[in-house]
Amino acid sequence: MTKDCDLWVFGYGSLMWRPGFDADEVCRAVLDGWHRDFCVYSRHWRGTPERPGLVLGLDEGGSCRGLAFRVCARRAGDVIEYLNERELVGYAYVARFLPIRCDDGRVVEAYTFVADTGHHHYAGQLPLERAAAIIMDAEGQGGLNRDYLINTIRQLESDGLAEAELHALLVEVERQTGIIEAGAGI
C-alpha cells in the first residue's frame, strides 16, 4: 500500500460490528484460502490466564465471507496504527495484506489479521465439544466468551453471511449450558 492509496480492511469477527474507525465505504467480501475459526486463546479480553476463552482468527484453508471497509488514504496510517494496537497486543495474530473479492466484483488488497500458528495462544482446530466447553466457561475484561460468539453470529446473520459451523458451535454451547443448569451447576 502506498500513502496515496485508500486502505481496505477485512473484518471477519468483532471488527464487523465494532470496527473502531470510520469507513468511507463498507461492503461484503470474500477472502479465499482462509476460514474463520475459534482458534485463538484469549487470556484477557474473553478469558483469564486460568480459564482462557477462545476468539476468532483466520486459519488456513477454505474461504471466509466478511465485511470490507475502505478508508481514505489520508487516514490509512492512523487506522493501521489503531488496528495494530487493538489486534496485535497479546494475541496470536499476524497482520497481512491479502486479496479479497468484494460482492460487486472488485478485487482489492485488504489489511487483515491471520492466526499465528506458531504463537502459544494459537489453539488450532479444536473439536466442537471442546471449543464449546471453553467458550461456555470463559469470561474476561470484555465480558462472557459466549457473548462474543452470539454477537458474531448475530452480525453474520444480519449481514446475510450466516455460517453453519459457528451456528453448530452455538447449539453445542446451549446444549452444554442446559446440562449444567439441569444439575444446578450455574
Side-chain angles (χ1 to χ4, degrees), residues 74-155:
R74 67 180 160 70
R75 292 187 296 111
D78 291 339
V79 169
I80 287 176
E81 184 177 324
Y82 161 75
L83 289 171
N84 287 348
E85 184 175 310
R86 171 180 166 164
E87 301 294 331
L88 296 179
V89 176
Y91 285 108
Y93 299 119
V94 176
R96 302 265 307 266
F97 279 96
L98 296 170
I100 59 170
R101 187 177 64 259
C102 298
D103 277 1
D104 64 8
R106 288 177 292 174
V107 175
V108 296
E109 292 286 314
Y111 195 65
T112 195
F113 300 91
V114 301
D116 179 355
T117 59
H119 195 282
H120 66 280
H121 287 179
Y122 176 70
Q125 293 186 352
L126 299 170
L128 181 72
E129 295 80 11
R130 178 69 184 128
I134 292 169
I135 289 169
M136 191 182 83
D137 199 34
E139 181 176 3
Q141 292 291 321
L144 293 172
N145 203 175
R146 284 177 280 185
D147 290 344
Y148 176 78
L149 170 63
I150 292 165
N151 287 340
T152 298
I153 290 170
R154 283 184 183 154
Q155 185 65 47

